[in-house]
Amino acid sequence: MPICKINDIDLYYEIHGTGKPLVLISGLSASHTTWLPVLNKLSKDHQVIIFDNRGVGKSEVPKGPYSIAQMADDTLALLDALNIEQFYLVGHSMGGAIAQQIAIKHSERIIRMMLYATSAKFNPLCMFMLTERLRLRQDNLDLKEIYRQTVLPWIFNHTFFTNEKMIESTLELMVNAPNLISIEGYASQLAACATHDTRDLLHNITVPTWVLSLREDLLTPMYEGQVLAAHIKTCRFIDLYDQAHAFHMQDPDKFITYVNRMINRFFPKKKY
């Protein structure tokens, strides 16, 4: 099992494929497995690095609270240990916040970057819902019901809910996932999201950046992507009208198309 000692904790990682490195950073409570729907195709042309942030999956769960800057340092330390100097970067949700911190301090390390379904500061509604999920777990409510009420409606688009079998099978996968995040790990990562605020620092990002927003995203709405795009000089903003927060899980082939466009320097002149 590939474990690397990073900043005094054990961090789990995987490397798939060959080519220029592509680093994928997961969101709050998500392990490296969140990228499995896109991993096989992306790793055909790239060396894909996926890993578990501190507090989740097979990585260590040190005492919190954590910070986004701390998890950005973990990411860079892991890449240093793997002798990866420059890389493409995709960050989803909290992973997008981590990517911002990396780019603010070390733009020279990043070839190109996608900030996907993320924000410079997570809005009050987003934080309320994420905190409610923690409260319900602390109250020992049924895990499947917690995910039904506070996860599925917030990450998938309207078409997902037309298929009851899909709803039930997705719930089963989520609640029975190996290495499900603990209450302690979730609370510590949530604290990092609560203190995330890069609004006055985005001008330091000089790497070519795609900001990808989804119009059905309830957690990080389109206007938050517009804020990011407005303050990053080397940026293109794309909003997709028919997708939601977990775009890469619900429509992996389409998501891969956008990642490859970012990597291949295809900057569209219009919104999608």
Side-chain angles (χ1 to χ4, degrees):
M1 185 168 68
I3 293 285
C4 192
K5 180 68 75 173
I6 296 296
N7 297 329
D8 295 325
I9 66 167
D10 289 335
L11 218 65
Y12 178 83
Y13 71 95
E14 295 181 4
I15 299 177
H16 297 264
T18 58
K20 289 189 176 180
L22 169 62
V23 180
L24 308 177
I25 309 181
S26 304
L28 173 68
S29 80
S31 73
H32 68 282
T33 60
T34 191
W35 298 110
L36 293 183
V38 300
L39 182 61
N40 285 342
K41 288 187 177 180
L42 285 177
S43 61
K44 287 182 179 179
D45 299 309
H46 314 290
Q47 182 189 56
V48 180
I49 298 93
I50 54 177
F51 63 98
D52 292 337
N53 291 307
R54 62 170 59 212
V56 70
K58 298 179 182 179
S59 288
E60 196 170 334
V61 186
K63 184 178 179 181
Y66 311 153
S67 72
I68 297 298
Q70 184 180 38
M71 288 189 277
D73 288 343
D74 289 343
T75 305
L76 283 174
L78 173 63
L79 295 173
D80 287 343
L82 298 176
N83 295 314
I84 296 173
E85 180 62 28
Q86 288 192 306
F87 47 88
Y88 298 102
L89 181 60
V90 176
H92 174 233
S93 197
M94 183 188 78
I98 295 169
Q100 291 169 53
Q101 283 288 350
I102 295 172
I104 287 165
K105 296 179 180 178
H106 298 283
S107 279
E108 77 283 354
R109 299 285 300 271
I110 305 170
I111 304 169
R112 279 183 291 284
M113 169 173 75
M114 176 185 285
L115 302 177
Y116 151 49
T118 191
S119 174
K121 180 177 174 61
F122 296 112
N123 67 75
L125 175 60
C126 174
M127 291 308 304
F128 175 82
M129 284 306 304
L130 298 176
T131 303
E132 277 297 285
R133 192 188 310 173
L134 174 61
R135 183 183 67 81
L136 293 174
R137 284 199 65 182
Q138 289 171 331
D139 288 345
N140 292 316
L141 268 69
D142 179 73
L143 192 58
K144 191 171 182 180
E145 284 306 307
I146 293 174
Y147 275 72
R148 181 185 292 276
Q149 296 176 35
T150 67
V151 179
L152 296 192
W154 294 86
I155 68 172
F156 293 118
N157 73 9
H158 67 282
T159 60
F160 176 86
F161 298 95
T162 64
N163 188 330
E164 186 62 33
K165 288 185 178 179
M166 177 67 72
I167 293 171
E168 291 302 318
S169 63
T170 302
L171 282 170
E172 289 296 326
L173 285 173
M174 286 182 167
V175 301
N176 294 311
N179 306 112
L180 189 69
I181 194 167
S182 66
I183 291 176
E184 294 76 17
Y186 185 93
S188 297
Q189 287 194 353
L190 181 63
C193 293
T195 57
H196 166 63
D197 189 350
T198 56
R199 290 173 296 179
D200 294 333
L201 301 171
L202 294 173
H203 65 276
N204 292 311
I205 296 177
T206 58
V207 59
T209 301
W210 273 39
V211 172
L212 181 62
S213 291
L214 305 315
R215 294 196 188 185
E216 291 193 40
D217 187 347
L218 301 178
L219 290 174
T220 51
M222 183 180 68
Y223 71 83
E224 298 194 358
Q226 291 172 322
V227 170
L228 286 168
H231 290 87
I232 300 173
K233 294 179 181 179
T234 53
C235 183
R236 294 294 185 274
F237 175 71
I238 300 147
D239 64 289
L240 300 181
Y241 71 92
D242 59 345
Q243 300 294 339
H245 195 71
F247 172 34
H248 69 290
M249 297 173 66
Q250 188 170 354
D251 196 346
D253 287 343
K254 189 172 183 180
F255 177 79
I256 289 167
T257 297
Y258 282 90
V259 173
N260 284 328
R261 287 177 177 177
M262 178 271 294
I263 289 172
N264 294 319
R265 301 189 184 189
F266 178 78
F267 276 3
K269 297 180 180 180
K270 64 180 182 179
K271 298 176 182 178
Y272 283 77

